[in-house]
C-alpha cells in the first residue's frame, strides 16, 4: 500500500535509479561496491555539496531506520527513507557518477551502494517489479 503513495513512488524511484547504475557498474567492473559506514566517512572523499548532503543524510537516517525497524514500524521507516528523494535527485542531476577521476568515481559508487544498503534494510526493493 505504501508504494502506491507519492512517498512510496518517490522512494522506489530513488532506489531504482541508484541501484540500476550501481548494478551496471558492478557488472562492468566485476566487483561489488561497499556501502559507506559512519566510520568510513571522510570529508575529503566528497568534493561537491551534493555528495556531502546525500551521504550525510544517509548516515543520519541509518540509526533512525534501525530504531523504527526494531519497533516494527515499517511504514514509518519507509516514510523516513522517502526523504532521500530530493538529495538523490540533486546528486544525479548535478553530478556524473562515472567521473573521470577514479577516486571520485569510486566514492560516488560507494554512495549509491550506501543508498541500496540503507533501503534494503527496510524492504527488498530489488524484488519489486516496476513498470
Amino acid at each position: 500500500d505504501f508504494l502506491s503513495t507519492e512517498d512510496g513512488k518517490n522512494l522506489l524511484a530513488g532506489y531504482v535509479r541508484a541501484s540500476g547504475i550501481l548494478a551496471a557498474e558492478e557488472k562492468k567492473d566485476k566487483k561489488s561496491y561497499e556501502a559507506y559506514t559512519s566510520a568510513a566517512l571522510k570529508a575529503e572523499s566528497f568534493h561537491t555539496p551534493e555528495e556531502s548532503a546525500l551521504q550525510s543524510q544517509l548516515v543520519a537516517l541509518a540509526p533512525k531506520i534501525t530504531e523504527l525497524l526494531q519497533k516494527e514500524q515499517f511504514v514509518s521507516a519507509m516514510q523516513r527513507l522517502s526523504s532521500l528523494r530530493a538529495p538523490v535527485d540533486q546528486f544525479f542531476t548535478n553530478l556524473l557518477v562515472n567521473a573521470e577521476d577514479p577516486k571520485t568515481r569510486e566514492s560516488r559508487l560507494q554512495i549509491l551502494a550506501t543508498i541500496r544498503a540503507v533501503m534494503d534494510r527496510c524492504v527488498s526493493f530489488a524484488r519489486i517489479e516496476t513498470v
Side-chain angles (χ1 to χ4, degrees):
D1 288 342
F2 179 76
L3 291 176
S4 65
T5 68
E6 195 61 33
D7 281 346
K9 290 174 189 174
N10 287 339
L11 181 61
L12 184 57
Y15 179 87
V16 167
R17 192 169 187 188
S19 64
I21 291 171
L22 187 59
E25 295 307 308
E26 286 177 328
K27 184 177 179 180
K28 183 177 81 176
D29 296 342
K30 295 181 171 87
K31 72 180 249 181
S32 178
Y33 287 93
E34 299 299 321
Y36 276 116
T37 62
S38 298
L41 265 179
K42 296 179 181 145
E44 63 271 11
S45 298
F46 307 112
H47 305 290
T48 68
E50 293 85 358
E51 291 168 308
S52 297
L54 180 52
Q55 186 62 24
S56 295
Q57 190 160 351
L58 285 164
V59 170
L61 268 178
K64 294 174 186 170
I65 298 302
T66 299
E67 180 183 331
L68 291 168
L69 293 176
Q70 288 172 344
K71 294 178 182 177
E72 297 185 6
Q73 296 177 351
F74 305 112
V75 173
S76 294
M78 289 187 289
Q79 287 170 331
R80 286 285 183 121
L81 285 173
S82 67
S83 69
L84 290 172
R85 180 63 192 268
V88 167
D89 283 349
Q90 287 297 312
F91 180 85
F92 286 122
T93 299
N94 297 328
L95 302 177
L96 177 63
V97 174
N98 291 320
E100 286 187 33
D101 176 60
K103 288 183 181 179
T104 301
R105 178 181 182 272
E106 176 90 13
S107 177
R108 290 176 182 174
L109 289 169
Q110 286 176 306
I111 291 172
L112 298 186
T114 304
I115 293 169
R116 181 176 62 188
V118 169
M119 293 178 127
D120 278 345
R121 290 183 58 220
C122 190
V123 174
S124 292
F125 286 93
R127 299 181 74 188
I128 298 171
E129 292 184 29
T130 58
V131 213

